[in-house]
Amino acid sequence: MRWHAVVAFFSAIYLYLNLFSSPSFPFLLGGDQVYFWMGAQRLLNGQTIYRDFFQFTPPGTDLVYAASFRLLGETIWATNAVALFFGVLSACLCYSLSRQIMRVASALTATGLFLVLIYGKFLNPTHHWFAVFFILLAVRIEMKSLTIRNNVISGVLLGISSFFNQAHAAAALVGFVVFLVLSAIRRREARAHTARLIAALVIAFALVSLSLYAYYLRAVGHERLWFCLVESVSRYVAESPRSLGLSGQLGLSNVPRMLPYLLVYALTPLVYGFALWKCSRSHNDALFPWNSITLLSLCGLSLLLEITASINVLRLFAIAMPAVILFIWILGEFSFPERTLLASALGVIVILGGHQGVAKHIVCRAKGQLPGGKIATTPEEFDELRVLAQQTRPGEYLLEAGWPGVYLPLKLHNPLYLPTLSRWDSTRPEDIEPALQQMDTKHVNSVLWNQHLDERCSFSSCKDYLSPFRNYLTRSFLPIHTFPNGDVLWQRRGNN
């Protein structure tokens, strides 16, 4: 426990420096977590997920942020507190998993690399991160011993994971079942005993999942729940572009910038492949940690295969903790000197961690008070939020078309059933007409039109399924402010 306390202490310091400019001024974060901030706002406003607003992820992440807003206030400070607390818990879990297969120094190395290179790279705790946390907590329980009790606990944790990301939980459940079968073959156990272990795992998973979703089955019905959590997800995956999901085009000119991401893409499958090969070669070695390595590898591989259909950097990094742990373990298997490894990794952690913190404080140097509390962000972003705050009042409706990032900082409300209007993700051509009706029904006076919605065309010449909404804007609204990034603020005609 002493080393867990050390990990928690230094993790908290590192995360604080990257999440707060000062105790009163949190940095304004971005990324997909803003969708869950908005969902939490709508929950606290008395709305019901799936019935009153659309979401194709389970309710768990929205509820976490809603609870943090209820406890700490509906502010950016609360979201950053969640990111800090969750990051500390993840670092402690990483260290605990690492200690099952390596010594203290190597475990600290794996934890530091995970915290700085993986979690700290984006600081974007979404449903992916929460689900993987409970999955790996189940892995940690299962590493102790293969008993009915531990399988029940693991099934419960996997069931909780399904409340954050149903696909991750299902993939992990498959990984657990495969592990139990392989373990039984290795130990020549009776099939009845293996069947009981699998049954304990699966039944616990099913009961917990059903219990968590019971309220929503009653509130919105099984058809709506199936549409949001299964049909919409399948459609999204089917329509996702087949690419590596990197943030930018891959070319010779930007290979240096992309190199850290490319390394994670390349090493993750190689690490799992080598670890499983090593397990197959060492299944009779009593000193080899077969259970821990095999289970960690199979769960990591299951998660990797599950995201392959719609892979991107954010999803890959969210499931990368097992790969980081196993990578450090593999270096030890190659007799890499532990002191050299620790010194090299410590240097990387200190340099990159220090660079992240210094860069954040330099770039996000603009500070101020907004309806959603005090924030620190870039001067350009703060100027845009300041103008929007002058043109709106907290509690009123504003549509940010293209990205739902202004609702929490300005304490505004989204008027649509959809999270936003977009040329991808959840928006469909048949969604435009209901969106227009919702705009008029709720007397929305302001629209922030993100410039990326008009990518490769001008606002007036774009021909896509957002064209009816552009025509509606032109008829009913006037552009009153164009921001340096190309975003345009529109105000309803006749609204003074």
mmCIF file of all heavy atoms in Angstrom, residues 394-431:
data_model
loop_
_atom_site.group_PDB
_atom_site.id
_atom_site.type_symbol
_atom_site.label_atom_id
_atom_site.label_comp_id
_atom_site.label_asym_id
_atom_site.label_seq_id
_atom_site.Cartn_x
_atom_site.Cartn_y
_atom_site.Cartn_z
ATOM 1 N N PRO A 394 -27.635 32.864 -19.368
ATOM 2 C CA PRO A 394 -27.616 31.491 -18.837
ATOM 3 C C PRO A 394 -29.031 30.931 -18.738
ATOM 4 O O PRO A 394 -29.975 31.621 -18.331
ATOM 5 C CB PRO A 394 -26.987 31.659 -17.456
ATOM 6 C CG PRO A 394 -26.148 32.894 -17.572
ATOM 7 C CD PRO A 394 -26.902 33.805 -18.491
ATOM 8 N N GLY A 395 -29.166 29.675 -19.141
ATOM 9 C CA GLY A 395 -30.457 29.010 -19.062
ATOM 10 C C GLY A 395 -31.268 29.055 -20.334
ATOM 11 O O GLY A 395 -32.278 28.353 -20.442
ATOM 12 N N GLU A 396 -30.865 29.874 -21.321
ATOM 13 C CA GLU A 396 -31.637 29.929 -22.555
ATOM 14 C C GLU A 396 -31.091 28.938 -23.580
ATOM 15 O O GLU A 396 -30.025 28.351 -23.403
ATOM 16 C CB GLU A 396 -31.646 31.351 -23.119
ATOM 17 C CG GLU A 396 -30.351 31.824 -23.735
ATOM 18 C CD GLU A 396 -30.481 33.235 -24.300
ATOM 19 O OE1 GLU A 396 -31.366 33.992 -23.840
ATOM 20 O OE2 GLU A 396 -29.697 33.582 -25.208
ATOM 21 N N TYR A 397 -31.842 28.778 -24.663
ATOM 22 C CA TYR A 397 -31.450 27.845 -25.724
ATOM 23 C C TYR A 397 -30.506 28.508 -26.712
ATOM 24 O O TYR A 397 -30.681 29.678 -27.088
ATOM 25 C CB TYR A 397 -32.682 27.345 -26.476
ATOM 26 C CG TYR A 397 -33.552 26.400 -25.687
ATOM 27 C CD1 TYR A 397 -34.823 26.786 -25.270
ATOM 28 C CD2 TYR A 397 -33.103 25.127 -25.359
ATOM 29 C CE1 TYR A 397 -35.629 25.918 -24.552
ATOM 30 C CE2 TYR A 397 -33.898 24.255 -24.641
ATOM 31 C CZ TYR A 397 -35.157 24.661 -24.238
ATOM 32 O OH TYR A 397 -35.939 23.792 -23.520
ATOM 33 N N LEU A 398 -29.500 27.740 -27.121
ATOM 34 C CA LEU A 398 -28.614 28.091 -28.230
ATOM 35 C C LEU A 398 -28.236 26.792 -28.913
ATOM 36 O O LEU A 398 -27.968 25.795 -28.237
ATOM 37 C CB LEU A 398 -27.363 28.821 -27.746
ATOM 38 C CG LEU A 398 -26.263 29.075 -28.791
ATOM 39 C CD1 LEU A 398 -25.615 30.450 -28.599
ATOM 40 C CD2 LEU A 398 -25.179 27.994 -28.766
ATOM 41 N N LEU A 399 -28.234 26.810 -30.227
ATOM 42 C CA LEU A 399 -27.780 25.631 -30.949
ATOM 43 C C LEU A 399 -26.350 25.856 -31.408
ATOM 44 O O LEU A 399 -26.074 26.798 -32.153
ATOM 45 C CB LEU A 399 -28.658 25.357 -32.168
ATOM 46 C CG LEU A 399 -28.129 24.256 -33.106
ATOM 47 C CD1 LEU A 399 -28.064 22.915 -32.383
ATOM 48 C CD2 LEU A 399 -28.956 24.150 -34.367
ATOM 49 N N GLU A 400 -25.446 24.987 -30.937
ATOM 50 C CA GLU A 400 -24.102 24.975 -31.501
ATOM 51 C C GLU A 400 -24.074 23.842 -32.521
ATOM 52 O O GLU A 400 -24.011 22.674 -32.162
ATOM 53 C CB GLU A 400 -23.024 24.763 -30.443
ATOM 54 C CG GLU A 400 -21.634 24.839 -31.053
ATOM 55 C CD GLU A 400 -20.510 24.640 -30.059
ATOM 56 O OE1 GLU A 400 -20.789 24.257 -28.908
ATOM 57 O OE2 GLU A 400 -19.343 24.866 -30.438
ATOM 58 N N ALA A 401 -24.133 24.213 -33.785
ATOM 59 C CA ALA A 401 -24.173 23.227 -34.860
ATOM 60 C C ALA A 401 -22.759 22.772 -35.185
ATOM 61 O O ALA A 401 -21.923 23.571 -35.584
ATOM 62 C CB ALA A 401 -24.831 23.827 -36.102
ATOM 63 N N GLY A 402 -22.501 21.484 -34.999
ATOM 64 C CA GLY A 402 -21.187 20.932 -35.317
ATOM 65 C C GLY A 402 -20.403 20.447 -34.126
ATOM 66 O O GLY A 402 -19.555 19.570 -34.259
ATOM 67 N N TRP A 403 -20.713 20.976 -32.935
ATOM 68 C CA TRP A 403 -19.947 20.559 -31.748
ATOM 69 C C TRP A 403 -20.605 21.120 -30.499
ATOM 70 O O TRP A 403 -20.870 22.316 -30.441
ATOM 71 C CB TRP A 403 -18.511 21.060 -31.854
ATOM 72 C CG TRP A 403 -17.605 20.584 -30.755
ATOM 73 C CD1 TRP A 403 -17.096 21.320 -29.724
ATOM 74 C CD2 TRP A 403 -17.112 19.254 -30.571
ATOM 75 N NE1 TRP A 403 -16.313 20.544 -28.910
ATOM 76 C CE2 TRP A 403 -16.298 19.262 -29.405
ATOM 77 C CE3 TRP A 403 -17.263 18.060 -31.269
ATOM 78 C CZ2 TRP A 403 -15.651 18.125 -28.952
ATOM 79 C CZ3 TRP A 403 -16.626 16.929 -30.807
ATOM 80 C CH2 TRP A 403 -15.823 16.964 -29.664
ATOM 81 N N PRO A 404 -20.862 20.301 -29.475
ATOM 82 C CA PRO A 404 -21.573 20.792 -28.290
ATOM 83 C C PRO A 404 -20.652 21.279 -27.179
ATOM 84 O O PRO A 404 -20.779 20.873 -26.023
ATOM 85 C CB PRO A 404 -22.359 19.556 -27.857
ATOM 86 C CG PRO A 404 -21.452 18.413 -28.206
ATOM 87 C CD PRO A 404 -20.696 18.830 -29.438
ATOM 88 N N GLY A 405 -19.716 22.164 -27.493
ATOM 89 C CA GLY A 405 -18.698 22.542 -26.514
ATOM 90 C C GLY A 405 -18.974 23.778 -25.686
ATOM 91 O O GLY A 405 -18.268 24.032 -24.708
ATOM 92 N N VAL A 406 -20.002 24.574 -26.036
ATOM 93 C CA VAL A 406 -20.202 25.846 -25.330
ATOM 94 C C VAL A 406 -21.274 25.770 -24.259
ATOM 95 O O VAL A 406 -21.434 26.716 -23.482
ATOM 96 C CB VAL A 406 -20.563 26.981 -26.325
ATOM 97 C CG1 VAL A 406 -19.495 27.119 -27.397
ATOM 98 C CG2 VAL A 406 -21.934 26.768 -26.948
ATOM 99 N N TYR A 407 -22.013 24.661 -24.197
ATOM 100 C CA TYR A 407 -23.166 24.623 -23.297
ATOM 101 C C TYR A 407 -22.770 24.714 -21.831
ATOM 102 O O TYR A 407 -23.368 25.473 -21.066
ATOM 103 C CB TYR A 407 -23.983 23.355 -23.553
ATOM 104 C CG TYR A 407 -24.573 23.306 -24.941
ATOM 105 C CD1 TYR A 407 -24.151 22.355 -25.866
ATOM 106 C CD2 TYR A 407 -25.534 24.229 -25.343
ATOM 107 C CE1 TYR A 407 -24.683 22.317 -27.148
ATOM 108 C CE2 TYR A 407 -26.074 24.201 -26.617
ATOM 109 C CZ TYR A 407 -25.639 23.246 -27.521
ATOM 110 O OH TYR A 407 -26.159 23.221 -28.789
ATOM 111 N N LEU A 408 -21.776 23.960 -21.406
ATOM 112 C CA LEU A 408 -21.389 24.003 -20.003
ATOM 113 C C LEU A 408 -20.680 25.303 -19.627
ATOM 114 O O LEU A 408 -21.042 25.921 -18.621
ATOM 115 C CB LEU A 408 -20.499 22.798 -19.656
ATOM 116 C CG LEU A 408 -20.035 22.722 -18.203
ATOM 117 C CD1 LEU A 408 -21.221 22.649 -17.249
ATOM 118 C CD2 LEU A 408 -19.107 21.531 -17.988
ATOM 119 N N PRO A 409 -19.678 25.778 -20.397
ATOM 120 C CA PRO A 409 -19.023 27.044 -20.009
ATOM 121 C C PRO A 409 -19.989 28.216 -19.916
ATOM 122 O O PRO A 409 -19.791 29.125 -19.097
ATOM 123 C CB PRO A 409 -17.987 27.269 -21.113
ATOM 124 C CG PRO A 409 -17.740 25.930 -21.700
ATOM 125 C CD PRO A 409 -19.031 25.187 -21.589
ATOM 126 N N LEU A 410 -21.029 28.222 -20.753
ATOM 127 C CA LEU A 410 -21.963 29.353 -20.781
ATOM 128 C C LEU A 410 -23.293 29.035 -20.104
ATOM 129 O O LEU A 410 -24.187 29.890 -20.061
ATOM 130 C CB LEU A 410 -22.217 29.770 -22.234
ATOM 131 C CG LEU A 410 -20.971 30.192 -23.017
ATOM 132 C CD1 LEU A 410 -21.337 30.568 -24.443
ATOM 133 C CD2 LEU A 410 -20.272 31.358 -22.331
ATOM 134 N N LYS A 411 -23.454 27.798 -19.609
ATOM 135 C CA LYS A 411 -24.693 27.357 -18.962
ATOM 136 C C LYS A 411 -25.898 27.574 -19.872
ATOM 137 O O LYS A 411 -26.929 28.119 -19.458
ATOM 138 C CB LYS A 411 -24.889 28.053 -17.613
ATOM 139 C CG LYS A 411 -24.008 27.487 -16.505
ATOM 140 C CD LYS A 411 -24.525 27.835 -15.132
ATOM 141 C CE LYS A 411 -23.750 27.071 -14.061
ATOM 142 N NZ LYS A 411 -24.225 27.388 -12.705
ATOM 143 N N LEU A 412 -25.752 27.144 -21.118
ATOM 144 C CA LEU A 412 -26.828 27.215 -22.090
ATOM 145 C C LEU A 412 -27.406 25.817 -22.312
ATOM 146 O O LEU A 412 -26.816 24.822 -21.884
ATOM 147 C CB LEU A 412 -26.307 27.797 -23.406
ATOM 148 C CG LEU A 412 -25.744 29.215 -23.321
ATOM 149 C CD1 LEU A 412 -25.101 29.617 -24.638
ATOM 150 C CD2 LEU A 412 -26.832 30.208 -22.920
ATOM 151 N N HIS A 413 -28.543 25.753 -23.023
ATOM 152 C CA HIS A 413 -29.208 24.477 -23.249
ATOM 153 C C HIS A 413 -29.307 24.178 -24.739
ATOM 154 O O HIS A 413 -29.541 25.080 -25.556
ATOM 155 C CB HIS A 413 -30.604 24.476 -22.627
ATOM 156 C CG HIS A 413 -30.603 24.632 -21.143
ATOM 157 N ND1 HIS A 413 -29.874 23.815 -20.310
ATOM 158 C CD2 HIS A 413 -31.242 25.518 -20.328
ATOM 159 C CE1 HIS A 413 -30.063 24.177 -19.046
ATOM 160 N NE2 HIS A 413 -30.875 25.214 -19.035
ATOM 161 N N ASN A 414 -29.150 22.905 -25.071
ATOM 162 C CA ASN A 414 -29.310 22.440 -26.443
ATOM 163 C C ASN A 414 -30.796 22.247 -26.731
ATOM 164 O O ASN A 414 -31.471 21.517 -26.011
ATOM 165 C CB ASN A 414 -28.548 21.118 -26.617
ATOM 166 C CG ASN A 414 -28.653 20.548 -28.014
ATOM 167 O OD1 ASN A 414 -29.257 21.139 -28.900
ATOM 168 N ND2 ASN A 414 -28.063 19.386 -28.211
ATOM 169 N N PRO A 415 -31.330 22.862 -27.791
ATOM 170 C CA PRO A 415 -32.768 22.762 -28.055
ATOM 171 C C PRO A 415 -33.177 21.489 -28.789
ATOM 172 O O PRO A 415 -34.368 21.200 -28.891
ATOM 173 C CB PRO A 415 -33.042 23.981 -28.937
ATOM 174 C CG PRO A 415 -31.761 24.184 -29.685
ATOM 175 C CD PRO A 415 -30.662 23.794 -28.730
ATOM 176 N N LEU A 416 -32.228 20.733 -29.320
ATOM 177 C CA LEU A 416 -32.542 19.595 -30.175
ATOM 178 C C LEU A 416 -32.570 18.285 -29.399
ATOM 179 O O LEU A 416 -31.954 18.158 -28.340
ATOM 180 C CB LEU A 416 -31.522 19.467 -31.314
ATOM 181 C CG LEU A 416 -31.308 20.677 -32.220
ATOM 182 C CD1 LEU A 416 -30.371 20.322 -33.361
ATOM 183 C CD2 LEU A 416 -32.633 21.211 -32.748
ATOM 184 N N TYR A 417 -33.251 17.313 -29.977
ATOM 185 C CA TYR A 417 -33.190 15.951 -29.458
ATOM 186 C C TYR A 417 -31.794 15.378 -29.692
ATOM 187 O O TYR A 417 -31.252 14.658 -28.853
ATOM 188 C CB TYR A 417 -34.245 15.085 -30.152
ATOM 189 C CG TYR A 417 -34.194 13.627 -29.769
ATOM 190 C CD1 TYR A 417 -34.633 13.203 -28.514
ATOM 191 C CD2 TYR A 417 -33.700 12.675 -30.656
ATOM 192 C CE1 TYR A 417 -34.578 11.862 -28.155
ATOM 193 C CE2 TYR A 417 -33.650 11.330 -30.302
ATOM 194 C CZ TYR A 417 -34.088 10.931 -29.057
ATOM 195 O OH TYR A 417 -34.022 9.606 -28.698
ATOM 196 N N LEU A 418 -31.188 15.720 -30.821
ATOM 197 C CA LEU A 418 -29.831 15.281 -31.147
ATOM 198 C C LEU A 418 -28.809 16.068 -30.342
ATOM 199 O O LEU A 418 -29.078 17.202 -29.923
ATOM 200 C CB LEU A 418 -29.558 15.479 -32.641
ATOM 201 C CG LEU A 418 -30.394 14.663 -33.620
ATOM 202 C CD1 LEU A 418 -30.092 15.114 -35.043
ATOM 203 C CD2 LEU A 418 -30.113 13.182 -33.460
ATOM 204 N N PRO A 419 -27.607 15.517 -30.136
ATOM 205 C CA PRO A 419 -26.568 16.272 -29.426
ATOM 206 C C PRO A 419 -26.089 17.487 -30.213
ATOM 207 O O PRO A 419 -25.694 18.486 -29.636
ATOM 208 C CB PRO A 419 -25.439 15.252 -29.240
ATOM 209 C CG PRO A 419 -25.689 14.199 -30.262
ATOM 210 C CD PRO A 419 -27.169 14.137 -30.449
ATOM 211 N N THR A 420 -26.122 17.398 -31.549
ATOM 212 C CA THR A 420 -25.727 18.517 -32.400
ATOM 213 C C THR A 420 -26.125 18.172 -33.829
ATOM 214 O O THR A 420 -26.642 17.082 -34.096
ATOM 215 C CB THR A 420 -24.210 18.772 -32.320
ATOM 216 O OG1 THR A 420 -23.883 19.963 -33.049
ATOM 217 C CG2 THR A 420 -23.413 17.618 -32.881
ATOM 218 N N LEU A 421 -25.905 19.111 -34.740
ATOM 219 C CA LEU A 421 -26.042 18.826 -36.157
ATOM 220 C C LEU A 421 -24.657 18.592 -36.720
ATOM 221 O O LEU A 421 -23.723 19.330 -36.410
ATOM 222 C CB LEU A 421 -26.705 19.997 -36.893
ATOM 223 C CG LEU A 421 -28.178 20.249 -36.603
ATOM 224 C CD1 LEU A 421 -28.652 21.462 -37.399
ATOM 225 C CD2 LEU A 421 -29.026 19.034 -36.954
ATOM 226 N N SER A 422 -24.533 17.571 -37.539
ATOM 227 C CA SER A 422 -23.206 17.218 -38.016
ATOM 228 C C SER A 422 -23.312 16.537 -39.364
ATOM 229 O O SER A 422 -24.378 16.057 -39.760
ATOM 230 C CB SER A 422 -22.516 16.302 -37.004
ATOM 231 O OG SER A 422 -21.278 15.853 -37.483
ATOM 232 N N ARG A 423 -22.204 16.498 -40.073
ATOM 233 C CA ARG A 423 -22.155 15.786 -41.350
ATOM 234 C C ARG A 423 -21.726 14.330 -41.137
ATOM 235 O O ARG A 423 -21.467 13.606 -42.093
ATOM 236 C CB ARG A 423 -21.178 16.490 -42.301
ATOM 237 C CG ARG A 423 -21.641 17.880 -42.685
ATOM 238 C CD ARG A 423 -20.574 18.674 -43.391
ATOM 239 N NE ARG A 423 -20.429 18.293 -44.804
ATOM 240 C CZ ARG A 423 -19.601 18.903 -45.635
ATOM 241 N NH1 ARG A 423 -18.845 19.916 -45.221
ATOM 242 N NH2 ARG A 423 -19.513 18.512 -46.894
ATOM 243 N N TRP A 424 -21.608 13.917 -39.901
ATOM 244 C CA TRP A 424 -21.224 12.544 -39.580
ATOM 245 C C TRP A 424 -21.864 12.185 -38.246
ATOM 246 O O TRP A 424 -22.772 12.857 -37.777
ATOM 247 C CB TRP A 424 -19.697 12.407 -39.511
ATOM 248 C CG TRP A 424 -19.049 13.384 -38.607
ATOM 249 C CD1 TRP A 424 -18.846 13.258 -37.258
ATOM 250 C CD2 TRP A 424 -18.560 14.677 -38.955
ATOM 251 N NE1 TRP A 424 -18.247 14.376 -36.748
ATOM 252 C CE2 TRP A 424 -18.049 15.265 -37.770
ATOM 253 C CE3 TRP A 424 -18.487 15.395 -40.142
ATOM 254 C CZ2 TRP A 424 -17.481 16.541 -37.746
ATOM 255 C CZ3 TRP A 424 -17.917 16.660 -40.116
ATOM 256 C CH2 TRP A 424 -17.425 17.209 -38.928
ATOM 257 N N ASP A 425 -21.387 11.153 -37.623
ATOM 258 C CA ASP A 425 -21.888 10.673 -36.338
ATOM 259 C C ASP A 425 -23.375 10.354 -36.410
ATOM 260 O O ASP A 425 -23.802 9.587 -37.234
ATOM 261 C CB ASP A 425 -21.590 11.682 -35.225
ATOM 262 C CG ASP A 425 -20.114 11.739 -34.871
ATOM 263 O OD1 ASP A 425 -19.352 10.936 -35.429
ATOM 264 O OD2 ASP A 425 -19.717 12.581 -34.060
ATOM 265 N N SER A 426 -24.175 10.995 -35.543
ATOM 266 C CA SER A 426 -25.548 10.546 -35.347
ATOM 267 C C SER A 426 -26.570 11.250 -36.221
ATOM 268 O O SER A 426 -27.736 10.868 -36.235
ATOM 269 C CB SER A 426 -25.938 10.743 -33.869
ATOM 270 O OG SER A 426 -25.757 12.097 -33.493
ATOM 271 N N THR A 427 -26.203 12.305 -36.940
ATOM 272 C CA THR A 427 -27.172 13.049 -37.731
ATOM 273 C C THR A 427 -27.501 12.314 -39.028
ATOM 274 O O THR A 427 -26.606 11.867 -39.741
ATOM 275 C CB THR A 427 -26.640 14.454 -38.059
ATOM 276 O OG1 THR A 427 -26.192 15.089 -36.862
ATOM 277 C CG2 THR A 427 -27.722 15.296 -38.703
ATOM 278 N N ARG A 428 -28.799 12.225 -39.326
ATOM 279 C CA ARG A 428 -29.277 11.587 -40.546
ATOM 280 C C ARG A 428 -30.151 12.575 -41.315
ATOM 281 O O ARG A 428 -30.695 13.526 -40.732
ATOM 282 C CB ARG A 428 -30.095 10.343 -40.214
ATOM 283 C CG ARG A 428 -29.376 9.309 -39.388
ATOM 284 C CD ARG A 428 -28.408 8.514 -40.213
ATOM 285 N NE ARG A 428 -29.132 7.666 -41.163
ATOM 286 C CZ ARG A 428 -28.548 6.892 -42.052
ATOM 287 N NH1 ARG A 428 -27.240 6.886 -42.138
ATOM 288 N NH2 ARG A 428 -29.258 6.146 -42.874
ATOM 289 N N PRO A 429 -30.312 12.392 -42.642
ATOM 290 C CA PRO A 429 -31.167 13.315 -43.410
ATOM 291 C C PRO A 429 -32.576 13.453 -42.827
ATOM 292 O O PRO A 429 -33.147 14.548 -42.814
ATOM 293 C CB PRO A 429 -31.185 12.672 -44.803
ATOM 294 C CG PRO A 429 -29.898 11.928 -44.894
ATOM 295 C CD PRO A 429 -29.644 11.405 -43.521
ATOM 296 N N GLU A 430 -33.124 12.344 -42.320
ATOM 297 C CA GLU A 430 -34.486 12.389 -41.781
ATOM 298 C C GLU A 430 -34.567 13.119 -40.436
ATOM 299 O O GLU A 430 -35.672 13.357 -39.919
ATOM 300 C CB GLU A 430 -35.052 10.975 -41.625
ATOM 301 C CG GLU A 430 -34.248 10.055 -40.733
ATOM 302 C CD GLU A 430 -33.219 9.219 -41.493
ATOM 303 O OE1 GLU A 430 -32.763 9.660 -42.568
ATOM 304 O OE2 GLU A 430 -32.861 8.136 -40.985
ATOM 305 N N ASP A 431 -33.403 13.468 -39.855
ATOM 306 C CA ASP A 431 -33.407 14.190 -38.581
ATOM 307 C C ASP A 431 -33.556 15.703 -38.757
ATOM 308 O O ASP A 431 -33.811 16.410 -37.771
ATOM 309 C CB ASP A 431 -32.088 13.929 -37.821
ATOM 310 C CG ASP A 431 -31.928 12.477 -37.422
ATOM 311 O OD1 ASP A 431 -32.942 11.847 -37.098
ATOM 312 O OD2 ASP A 431 -30.777 11.982 -37.438
#
